[in-house]
Coordinates of all heavy atoms in Angstrom, one line a residue:
Y872 N 0.8 -1.2 0.0 CA 0.0 0.0 0.0 C 0.9 1.2 0.0 O 1.9 1.3 0.6 CB -0.9 0.0 1.2 CG -1.9 -1.1 1.3 CD1 -1.6 -2.2 2.1 CD2 -3.0 -1.0 0.5 CE1 -2.5 -3.2 2.1 CE2 -4.0 -2.1 0.6 CZ -3.7 -3.2 1.5 OH -4.6 -4.2 1.4
H873 N 0.4 2.3 -0.6 CA 1.1 3.6 -0.6 C 0.4 4.5 0.4 O -0.7 4.8 0.3 CB 1.1 4.1 -2.0 CG 2.1 5.4 -2.2 ND1 1.7 6.3 -3.0 CD2 3.2 5.6 -1.7 CE1 2.7 7.2 -3.1 NE2 3.6 6.8 -2.2
F874 N 1.1 5.0 1.3 CA 0.7 5.8 2.4 C -0.2 5.2 3.5 O 0.1 5.4 4.7 CB -0.1 7.1 1.9 CG 0.7 8.0 1.1 CD1 0.5 8.2 -0.3 CD2 1.8 8.7 1.7 CE1 1.3 9.1 -1.0 CE2 2.6 9.6 0.9 CZ 2.4 9.8 -0.4
E875 N -1.2 4.5 3.1 CA -2.1 4.0 4.1 C -2.7 2.6 3.6 O -3.0 2.5 2.5 CB -3.3 5.0 4.2 CG -4.3 4.7 5.4 CD -5.4 5.8 5.5 OE1 -5.4 6.8 4.7 OE2 -6.1 5.7 6.4
A876 N -2.9 1.6 4.6 CA -3.4 0.4 4.2 C -4.9 0.5 3.9 O -5.6 1.3 4.4 CB -3.2 -0.5 5.4
G877 N -5.3 -0.3 3.0 CA -6.7 -0.3 2.6 C -7.6 -1.1 3.5 O -7.1 -1.9 4.4
P878 N -8.9 -1.1 3.4 CA -9.8 -1.8 4.2 C -9.6 -3.3 4.1 O -10.0 -4.0 5.0 CB -11.1 -1.4 3.8 CG -11.0 -0.8 2.4 CD -9.6 -0.3 2.4
D879 N -9.0 -3.7 3.0 CA -8.9 -5.2 2.8 C -7.5 -5.7 3.3 O -7.1 -6.9 3.1 CB -9.0 -5.5 1.3 CG -8.0 -4.9 0.5 OD1 -7.4 -3.8 1.0 OD2 -7.7 -5.3 -0.7
A880 N -6.8 -4.9 4.0 CA -5.5 -5.3 4.6 C -5.7 -6.5 5.5 O -6.5 -6.5 6.4 CB -4.8 -4.2 5.3
G881 N -4.8 -7.5 5.3 CA -5.0 -8.7 6.2 C -4.3 -8.5 7.5 O -4.0 -7.4 8.1
E882 N -3.9 -9.6 8.1 CA -3.1 -9.7 9.4 C -1.7 -9.1 9.2 O -1.1 -8.5 10.2 CB -3.0 -11.1 9.9 CG -4.3 -11.6 10.5 CD -4.7 -10.7 11.8 OE1 -3.8 -10.6 12.6 OE2 -5.7 -10.3 11.9
E883 N -1.2 -9.1 8.1 CA 0.2 -8.8 7.8 C 0.2 -7.9 6.5 O -0.3 -8.3 5.5 CB 1.2 -10.0 7.6 CG 2.5 -9.7 7.7 CD 3.3 -11.0 7.8 OE1 3.4 -11.7 6.8 OE2 3.8 -11.2 8.9
Y884 N 0.7 -6.7 6.5 CA 0.7 -5.8 5.3 C 1.9 -4.8 5.5 O 2.4 -4.5 6.5 CB -0.6 -5.1 5.2 CG -1.0 -4.3 6.4 CD1 -0.7 -3.0 6.5 CD2 -1.7 -4.8 7.4 CE1 -1.1 -2.2 7.5 CE2 -2.2 -4.0 8.4 CZ -1.8 -2.7 8.6 OH -2.1 -2.0 9.7
A885 N 2.2 -4.3 4.3 CA 3.3 -3.3 4.3 C 2.7 -2.0 3.7 O 1.8 -2.0 2.7 CB 4.4 -3.8 3.3
V886 N 3.2 -0.9 4.2 CA 2.9 0.5 3.6 C 4.2 1.2 3.3 O 5.1 1.1 4.1 CB 2.1 1.3 4.8 CG1 1.7 2.6 4.3 CG2 0.7 0.5 5.0
W887 N 4.3 1.9 2.3 CA 5.4 2.6 1.9 C 5.1 4.1 1.6 O 4.0 4.4 1.2 CB 6.2 2.0 0.8 CG 5.6 2.1 -0.4 CD1 4.5 1.3 -1.0 CD2 5.8 3.1 -1.6 NE1 4.2 1.7 -2.3 CE2 5.0 2.7 -2.6 CE3 6.7 4.1 -1.6 CZ2 5.0 3.5 -3.8 CZ3 6.6 4.9 -2.8 CH2 5.8 4.6 -3.8
Q888 N 6.1 5.0 1.8 CA 5.9 6.3 1.4 C 7.3 7.1 1.2 O 8.2 6.6 1.7 CB 5.1 7.1 2.5 CG 5.9 7.1 3.9 CD 5.0 7.8 5.0 OE1 4.0 8.5 4.6 NE2 5.3 7.5 6.2
E889 N 7.2 8.0 0.4 CA 8.3 8.9 0.2 C 8.5 9.9 1.5 O 7.6 10.3 2.0 CB 8.2 9.8 -1.0 CG 8.0 9.0 -2.4 CD 6.5 8.7 -2.7 OE1 5.6 8.8 -1.7 OE2 6.2 8.2 -3.8
T890 N 9.7 10.0 1.9 CA 10.0 10.8 3.1 C 10.9 12.0 2.7 O 11.2 12.8 3.6 CB 10.7 10.0 4.3 OG1 11.8 9.4 3.8 CG2 9.6 8.9 4.7
G891 N 11.3 12.1 1.5 CA 12.2 13.2 1.0 C 13.0 12.8 -0.2 O 13.0 11.8 -0.7
S892 N 13.9 13.7 -0.5 CA 14.8 13.5 -1.6 C 16.0 14.5 -1.5 O 16.0 15.4 -0.7 CB 14.2 13.7 -3.0 OG 13.8 15.1 -3.1
R893 N 17.1 14.2 -2.3 CA 18.2 15.0 -2.3 C 18.8 14.9 -3.6 O 18.7 13.8 -4.3 CB 19.3 14.8 -1.2 CG 19.9 13.4 -1.2 CD 20.6 13.2 0.1 NE 21.0 11.8 0.3 CZ 22.0 11.1 -0.1 NH1 22.8 11.8 -0.9 NH2 22.2 9.9 0.1
S894 N 19.5 15.9 -4.1 CA 20.0 16.0 -5.5 C 21.5 15.5 -5.5 O 22.2 15.8 -4.5 CB 20.0 17.4 -6.0 OG 18.6 17.7 -6.2
L895 N 21.9 15.0 -6.5 CA 23.4 14.6 -6.7 C 23.9 15.5 -7.7 O 23.3 15.8 -8.7 CB 23.5 13.1 -7.1 CG 22.9 12.1 -6.3 CD1 23.0 10.7 -6.8 CD2 23.6 12.1 -4.9
Y896 N 25.2 16.0 -7.3 CA 25.8 16.9 -8.3 C 27.2 16.4 -8.7 O 27.9 15.7 -7.9 CB 26.0 18.3 -7.6 CG 24.7 19.0 -7.6 CD1 23.9 18.9 -6.5 CD2 24.3 19.9 -8.5 CE1 22.6 19.5 -6.4 CE2 23.1 20.6 -8.4 CZ 22.2 20.4 -7.3 OH 21.1 21.1 -7.2
S897 N 27.6 16.7 -9.9 CA 28.9 16.4 -10.3 C 29.5 17.6 -11.1 O 28.8 18.1 -12.1 CB 29.0 15.1 -11.2 OG 30.3 14.9 -11.8
S898 N 30.6 18.1 -10.7 CA 31.1 19.3 -11.4 C 30.1 20.5 -11.4 O 30.0 21.2 -12.5 CB 31.6 19.0 -12.8 OG 32.6 18.0 -12.8
G899 N 29.3 20.6 -10.4 CA 28.4 21.7 -10.3 C 27.1 21.5 -11.1 O 26.4 22.5 -11.2
V900 N 26.9 20.3 -11.7 CA 25.8 20.1 -12.5 C 24.9 18.9 -11.8 O 25.5 17.9 -11.4 CB 26.1 19.5 -13.9 CG1 24.9 19.2 -14.7 CG2 27.0 20.6 -14.6
R901 N 23.7 19.2 -11.7 CA 22.8 18.2 -11.1 C 22.7 17.0 -12.0 O 22.4 17.1 -13.2 CB 21.4 18.8 -10.9 CG 20.4 17.9 -10.2 CD 19.1 18.6 -9.9 NE 18.3 17.7 -9.1 CZ 17.1 17.4 -9.7 NH1 16.7 17.7 -10.8 NH2 16.3 16.5 -8.9
C902 N 22.9 15.8 -11.5 CA 23.0 14.7 -12.4 C 22.1 13.5 -11.8 O 22.1 12.4 -12.4 CB 24.5 14.1 -12.5 SG 25.3 13.7 -11.0
G903 N 21.5 13.7 -10.7 CA 20.5 12.7 -10.2 C 19.9 13.0 -9.0 O 20.1 14.1 -8.4
T904 N 18.9 12.2 -8.6 CA 18.2 12.4 -7.4 C 18.0 11.2 -6.6 O 17.9 10.1 -7.1 CB 16.7 12.9 -7.7 OG1 16.7 14.1 -8.5 CG2 15.9 13.1 -6.5
V905 N 18.3 11.3 -5.3 CA 18.1 10.2 -4.4 C 16.8 10.3 -3.7 O 16.5 11.4 -3.1 CB 19.3 10.1 -3.3 CG1 19.0 9.1 -2.3 CG2 20.6 9.9 -4.0
L906 N 15.9 9.3 -3.8 CA 14.6 9.3 -3.1 C 14.8 8.7 -1.9 O 15.3 7.6 -1.7 CB 13.6 8.7 -4.0 CG 13.3 9.3 -5.3 CD1 12.3 8.4 -6.1 CD2 12.6 10.7 -5.1
K907 N 14.3 9.3 -0.7 CA 14.2 8.7 0.6 C 13.0 8.1 0.8 O 11.9 8.7 0.5 CB 14.6 9.7 1.6 CG 16.0 10.3 1.4 CD 16.3 11.4 2.3 CE 17.0 10.8 3.6 NZ 17.3 11.9 4.6
L908 N 12.9 6.9 1.1 CA 11.6 6.1 1.3 C 11.5 5.4 2.6 O 12.5 5.2 3.3 CB 11.5 5.0 0.3 CG 11.8 5.5 -1.3 CD1 12.0 4.2 -2.1 CD2 10.6 6.2 -1.8
Q909 N 10.4 5.1 3.0 CA 10.2 4.4 4.3 C 9.1 3.3 4.0 O 8.0 3.6 3.5 CB 9.6 5.2 5.5 CG 9.4 4.5 6.7 CD 9.2 5.3 7.9 OE1 9.9 6.4 8.1 NE2 8.1 5.0 8.6
V910 N 9.5 2.0 4.3 CA 8.6 0.9 4.3 C 8.2 0.4 5.7 O 9.2 0.2 6.5 CB 9.3 -0.3 3.5 CG1 8.3 -1.5 3.5 CG2 9.6 0.1 2.1
D911 N 7.0 0.4 6.0 CA 6.6 -0.2 7.3 C 5.8 -1.5 7.1 O 4.8 -1.5 6.4 CB 5.5 0.8 7.9 CG 6.2 2.2 8.2 OD1 7.4 2.2 8.6 OD2 5.6 3.2 8.1
L912 N 6.3 -2.5 7.8 CA 5.6 -3.8 7.8 C 4.9 -4.0 9.1 O 5.5 -3.8 10.2 CB 6.6 -4.9 7.6 CG 6.1 -6.3 7.8 CD1 5.1 -6.7 6.9 CD2 7.3 -7.4 7.8
Y913 N 3.6 -4.1 9.1 CA 2.7 -4.3 10.2 C 2.4 -5.9 10.3 O 2.0 -6.5 9.3 CB 1.4 -3.6 10.1 CG 1.7 -2.1 10.1 CD1 1.9 -1.4 9.0 CD2 1.6 -1.4 11.4 CE1 2.1 0.0 9.1 CE2 1.8 0.0 11.5 CZ 2.1 0.7 10.3 OH 2.2 2.0 10.3
T914 N 2.7 -6.5 11.4 CA 2.4 -7.9 11.5 C 2.0 -8.3 13.0 O 2.4 -7.6 13.9 CB 3.7 -8.7 11.0 OG1 3.4 -10.1 11.2 CG2 4.9 -8.3 11.9
G915 N 1.3 -9.4 13.2 CA 1.0 -9.9 14.4 C 2.1 -11.0 14.8 O 2.1 -11.6 15.9
K916 N 3.1 -11.3 13.9 CA 4.1 -12.4 14.2 C 5.5 -11.8 14.3 O 5.9 -10.9 13.5 CB 4.1 -13.2 13.0 CG 2.9 -14.0 12.6 CD 3.2 -14.8 11.4 CE 2.0 -14.9 10.5 NZ 2.4 -15.6 9.2
E917 N 6.1 -12.2 15.3 CA 7.6 -11.9 15.5 C 8.4 -12.9 14.6 O 8.0 -14.1 14.5 CB 8.0 -12.1 17.0 CG 9.2 -11.4 17.3 CD 9.5 -11.5 18.7 OE1 8.6 -11.9 19.6 OE2 10.7 -10.9 19.2
N918 N 9.4 -12.4 14.1 CA 10.2 -13.2 13.2 C 9.5 -13.8 11.9 O 9.5 -14.9 11.6 CB 10.9 -14.4 13.9 CG 11.6 -14.1 15.1 OD1 12.4 -13.1 15.0 ND2 11.5 -14.8 16.2
T919 N 8.7 -12.9 11.3 CA 7.9 -13.3 10.1 C 8.8 -13.3 8.8 O 9.8 -12.7 8.7 CB 6.8 -12.2 9.9 OG1 6.2 -12.5 8.7 CG2 7.4 -10.8 9.8
E920 N 8.5 -14.3 8.0 CA 9.2 -14.4 6.7 C 9.0 -13.2 5.8 O 9.8 -13.1 4.9 CB 8.7 -15.8 6.0 CG 9.1 -17.0 6.8 CD 8.7 -18.3 6.0 OE1 8.2 -18.2 4.9 OE2 8.8 -19.3 6.6
T921 N 7.9 -12.5 5.9 CA 7.6 -11.4 5.2 C 8.8 -10.4 5.2 O 9.0 -9.8 4.1 CB 6.2 -10.8 5.5 OG1 5.3 -11.9 5.4 CG2 5.9 -9.7 4.5
L922 N 9.3 -10.1 6.4 CA 10.4 -9.2 6.5 C 11.5 -9.5 5.6 O 12.0 -8.7 4.9 CB 10.8 -9.0 7.9 CG 11.8 -8.1 8.3 CD1 11.4 -6.6 7.8 CD2 12.3 -8.1 9.7
G923 N 11.9 -10.8 5.6 CA 13.1 -11.2 4.8 C 12.7 -11.0 3.3 O 13.6 -10.7 2.5
K924 N 11.5 -11.3 3.0 CA 11.1 -11.2 1.5 C 11.2 -9.7 1.1 O 11.6 -9.3 -0.1 CB 9.6 -11.7 1.3 CG 9.6 -13.3 1.4 CD 8.2 -13.7 1.3 CE 8.1 -15.3 1.5 NZ 6.8 -15.8 1.4
I925 N 10.7 -8.9 2.0 CA 10.8 -7.4 1.6 C 12.2 -6.9 1.4 O 12.6 -6.3 0.4 CB 10.1 -6.5 2.7 CG1 8.5 -6.7 2.6 CG2 10.4 -5.1 2.5 CD1 7.8 -6.1 3.8
L926 N 13.1 -7.4 2.3 CA 14.5 -7.0 2.3 C 15.2 -7.6 1.0 O 15.9 -6.9 0.4 CB 15.2 -7.4 3.5 CG 14.8 -6.8 4.8 CD1 15.6 -7.4 5.9 CD2 14.8 -5.3 4.8
D927 N 14.8 -8.8 0.6 CA 15.2 -9.4 -0.7 C 14.9 -8.6 -1.8 O 15.7 -8.4 -2.7 CB 14.8 -10.9 -0.8 CG 15.4 -11.9 0.2 OD1 16.5 -11.5 0.8 OD2 14.9 -13.0 0.4
V928 N 13.7 -8.2 -1.9 CA 13.2 -7.3 -3.0 C 13.9 -6.1 -3.1 O 14.3 -5.6 -4.2 CB 11.7 -7.2 -2.9 CG1 11.1 -6.0 -3.9 CG2 10.9 -8.4 -3.2
L929 N 14.1 -5.4 -2.0 CA 14.8 -4.1 -1.9 C 16.3 -4.4 -2.5 O 16.8 -3.6 -3.3 CB 14.8 -3.6 -0.5 CG 13.5 -3.1 0.0 CD1 13.6 -2.7 1.5 CD2 12.9 -2.0 -0.8
E930 N 16.9 -5.4 -2.0 CA 18.3 -5.6 -2.4 C 18.4 -6.0 -3.9 O 19.2 -5.5 -4.6 CB 18.8 -6.9 -1.5 CG 20.3 -7.0 -1.6 CD 20.9 -8.0 -0.6 OE1 20.8 -7.6 0.6 OE2 21.3 -9.0 -0.9
E931 N 17.4 -6.8 -4.4 CA 17.4 -7.2 -5.8 C 17.3 -6.0 -6.7 O 17.7 -6.0 -7.9 CB 16.3 -8.2 -6.0 CG 16.6 -9.6 -5.4 CD 15.4 -10.5 -5.4 OE1 14.3 -10.1 -6.0 OE2 15.4 -11.6 -4.7
N932 N 16.6 -5.0 -6.2 CA 16.4 -3.8 -7.0 C 17.4 -2.6 -6.7 O 17.1 -1.5 -7.0 CB 14.9 -3.4 -6.8 CG 14.0 -4.3 -7.5 OD1 13.8 -4.3 -8.7 ND2 13.4 -5.2 -6.7
D933 N 18.5 -3.0 -6.1 CA 19.5 -2.0 -5.7 C 19.1 -0.8 -4.9 O 19.5 0.3 -5.2 CB 20.2 -1.5 -7.0 CG 21.0 -2.7 -7.8 OD1 21.5 -3.7 -7.1 OD2 20.9 -2.7 -9.0
I934 N 18.1 -1.1 -4.0 CA 17.6 -0.1 -3.1 C 18.3 -0.2 -1.8 O 18.2 -1.3 -1.1 CB 16.1 -0.2 -3.0 CG1 15.4 0.0 -4.3 CG2 15.6 0.9 -1.9 CD1 13.9 -0.3 -4.3
A935 N 19.2 0.8 -1.4 CA 19.8 0.7 -0.1 C 18.8 0.9 1.1 O 17.9 1.6 1.0 CB 20.9 1.8 -0.1
F936 N 19.0 0.1 2.1 CA 18.2 0.2 3.3 C 19.0 0.1 4.6 O 20.0 -0.6 4.6 CB 17.1 -0.8 3.2 CG 17.5 -2.2 3.0 CD1 17.8 -3.0 4.2 CD2 17.7 -2.8 1.8 CE1 18.2 -4.3 4.1 CE2 18.2 -4.2 1.7 CZ 18.4 -4.9 2.8
M937 N 18.4 0.6 5.6 CA 19.0 0.5 7.0 C 18.4 -0.8 7.5 O 17.3 -1.3 7.1 CB 18.5 1.7 7.8 CG 19.0 3.0 7.3 SD 20.7 3.3 7.4 CE 20.9 3.5 9.3
D938 N 19.0 -1.4 8.6 CA 18.5 -2.5 9.3 C 17.1 -2.1 9.8 O 16.9 -1.0 10.3 CB 19.3 -2.9 10.4 CG 20.6 -3.6 9.9 OD1 20.5 -4.1 8.8 OD2 21.5 -3.6 10.6
P939 N 16.1 -3.0 9.7 CA 14.7 -2.8 10.2 C 14.7 -2.4 11.7 O 15.5 -3.1 12.5 CB 13.9 -4.1 9.9 CG 14.7 -4.8 8.8 CD 16.2 -4.3 9.1
I940 N 13.9 -1.5 12.0 CA 13.7 -1.2 13.4 C 12.4 -1.7 13.9 O 11.3 -1.2 13.4 CB 13.7 0.4 13.6 CG1 15.1 0.9 13.1 CG2 13.5 0.8 15.1 CD1 15.0 2.5 12.9
P941 N 12.4 -2.7 14.9 CA 11.1 -3.2 15.3 C 10.5 -2.3 16.5 O 11.2 -1.8 17.2 CB 11.4 -4.6 15.7 CG 12.9 -4.5 16.1 CD 13.5 -3.5 15.3
G942 N 9.2 -2.3 16.5 CA 8.4 -1.7 17.6 C 7.1 -2.1 17.6 O 6.5 -2.7 16.8
F943 N 6.4 -1.7 18.7 CA 4.9 -2.0 18.8 C 4.1 -0.8 18.5 O 4.5 0.3 19.0 CB 4.6 -2.6 20.3 CG 3.1 -2.8 20.5 CD1 2.6 -4.0 20.0 CD2 2.4 -1.9 21.1 CE1 1.3 -4.3 20.1 CE2 1.0 -2.3 21.3 CZ 0.5 -3.4 20.8
D944 N 3.2 -1.0 17.6 CA 2.3 0.1 17.2 C 1.0 0.1 18.0 O 0.2 -0.8 17.8 CB 2.1 0.1 15.7 CG 1.2 1.3 15.3 OD1 1.7 2.4 15.2 OD2 0.1 1.1 14.9
P945 N 0.7 1.1 18.9 CA -0.4 1.0 19.7 C -1.7 1.3 19.0 O -2.8 0.8 19.4 CB -0.1 2.1 20.8 CG 0.8 3.0 20.1 CD 1.7 2.2 19.2
D946 N -1.6 1.9 17.8 CA -2.8 2.1 17.1 C -3.4 0.8 16.4 O -4.6 0.6 16.4 CB -2.6 3.2 15.9 CG -2.3 4.6 16.6 OD1 -2.8 4.9 17.7 OD2 -1.6 5.4 15.9
T947 N -2.5 0.1 15.9 CA -2.9 -1.1 15.2 C -2.8 -2.4 16.1 O -3.3 -3.5 15.7 CB -2.0 -1.4 13.9 OG1 -0.6 -1.6 14.4 CG2 -2.1 -0.3 12.9
K948 N -2.1 -2.3 17.2 CA -1.8 -3.4 18.1 C -1.0 -4.5 17.5 O -1.2 -5.7 17.6 CB -3.1 -4.0 18.7 CG -4.0 -2.9 19.3 CD -3.6 -2.6 20.6 CE -4.6 -1.8 21.5 NZ -4.4 -0.4 21.4
K949 N -0.1 -4.0 16.5 CA 0.7 -5.0 15.8 C 2.2 -4.6 16.0 O 2.5 -3.5 16.4 CB 0.4 -5.0 14.3 CG -1.0 -5.5 14.0 CD -1.2 -5.4 12.5 CE -2.6 -5.9 12.1 NZ -2.7 -7.3 12.1
L950 N 3.1 -5.5 15.7 CA 4.5 -5.2 15.5 C 4.7 -4.4 14.3 O 4.0 -4.6 13.2 CB 5.4 -6.4 15.4 CG 5.5 -7.3 16.6 CD1 6.3 -8.5 16.3 CD2 6.4 -6.5 17.7
R951 N 5.5 -3.4 14.3 CA 5.7 -2.6 13.1 C 7.3 -2.5 12.9 O 8.1 -2.1 13.8 CB 5.2 -1.1 13.4 CG 5.5 -0.2 12.3 CD 5.0 1.2 12.8 NE 5.4 2.2 11.7 CZ 5.4 3.5 12.0 NH1 5.1 3.9 13.2 NH2 5.8 4.4 11.1
Y952 N 7.7 -3.0 11.8 CA 9.1 -2.9 11.3 C 9.2 -1.7 10.4 O 8.6 -1.6 9.4 CB 9.5 -4.2 10.6 CG 9.6 -5.4 11.5 CD1 8.5 -6.2 11.7 CD2 10.7 -5.7 12.2 CE1 8.5 -7.3 12.5 CE2 10.8 -6.8 13.0 CZ 9.8 -7.6 13.2 OH 9.8 -8.7 14.1
I953 N 10.1 -0.8 10.7 CA 10.4 0.4 10.0 C 11.6 0.2 9.2 O 12.7 -0.1 9.8 CB 10.5 1.6 10.8 CG1 9.2 1.8 11.6 CG2 10.9 2.8 9.9 CD1 9.3 3.0 12.7
I954 N 11.6 0.2 7.9 CA 12.8 0.1 7.0 C 13.0 1.4 6.3 O 12.2 1.8 5.4 CB 12.6 -1.0 6.0 CG1 12.1 -2.3 6.7 CG2 13.9 -1.3 5.2 CD1 11.5 -3.4 5.9
E955 N 14.0 2.2 6.6 CA 14.4 3.4 5.8 C 15.2 3.0 4.7 O 16.2 2.3 4.7 CB 15.1 4.3 6.8 CG 14.2 4.8 8.0 CD 14.9 5.8 8.9 OE1 16.0 6.3 8.5 OE2 14.3 6.1 9.9
C956 N 14.8 3.6 3.5 CA 15.5 3.2 2.3 C 15.9 4.4 1.4 O 15.4 5.5 1.6 CB 14.5 2.4 1.3 SG 13.7 1.2 2.1
E957 N 16.8 4.2 0.5 CA 17.3 5.2 -0.4 C 17.4 4.7 -1.8 O 18.0 3.6 -2.0 CB 18.6 5.9 -0.1 CG 18.4 6.8 1.1 CD 19.6 7.7 1.4 OE1 20.7 7.3 0.8 OE2 19.6 8.6 2.2
A958 N 16.9 5.3 -2.9 CA 16.9 4.8 -4.2 C 17.3 6.0 -5.1 O 16.8 7.1 -5.0 CB 15.6 4.2 -4.7
V959 N 18.1 5.6 -6.1 CA 18.6 6.6 -7.2 C 17.6 6.4 -8.4 O 17.3 5.4 -8.9 CB 20.0 6.3 -7.5 CG1 20.5 7.4 -8.6 CG2 20.9 6.5 -6.3

């Protein structure tokens, strides 16, 4: 889902959003943009296989990411894994 989970979201779902960007310069000329993204995995399971699958997809698509940060989300009553990413 982009930004917000839909009403059909199951027990486990991921939501992603853009969180910013920055420009890349070479010799004073803008030559690219780095998009900053965040993927949030909501799940009722600790040690879910879905987290590994998400990380595999990010890696296969050359998207750099930080190690996931787990926490409890009081609004959904689920575990929430936050994955901060950057893509060119």
Side-chain angles (χ1 to χ4, degrees):
Y872 297 100
H873 191 214
F874 292 116
E875 185 177 7
D879 60 339
E882 283 296 307
E883 194 168 71
Y884 57 90
V886 177
W887 70 278
Q888 64 184 338
E889 300 86 349
T890 59
S892 65
R893 59 188 166 89
S894 297
L895 300 174
Y896 288 85
S897 177
S898 301
V900 177
R901 185 171 181 246
C902 61
T904 301
V905 175
L906 296 176
K907 297 173 94 178
L908 311 164
Q909 181 174 309
V910 178
D911 297 321
L912 171 62
Y913 294 88
T914 180
K916 301 181 217 171
E917 195 171 355
N918 302 318
T919 176
E920 291 180 10
T921 305
L922 180 60
K924 291 178 182 178
I925 290 171
L926 298 179
D927 287 346
V928 168
L929 294 172
E930 194 167 292
E931 289 167 6
N932 288 281
D933 297 324
I934 298 173
F936 58 88
M937 303 287 289
D938 287 336
I940 302 169
F943 181 76
D944 183 68
D946 295 331
T947 62
K948 307 284 192 258
K949 294 179 181 284
L950 287 173
R951 176 183 175 198
Y952 291 91
I953 299 170
I954 309 162
E955 295 180 11
C956 312
E957 290 188 343
V959 178

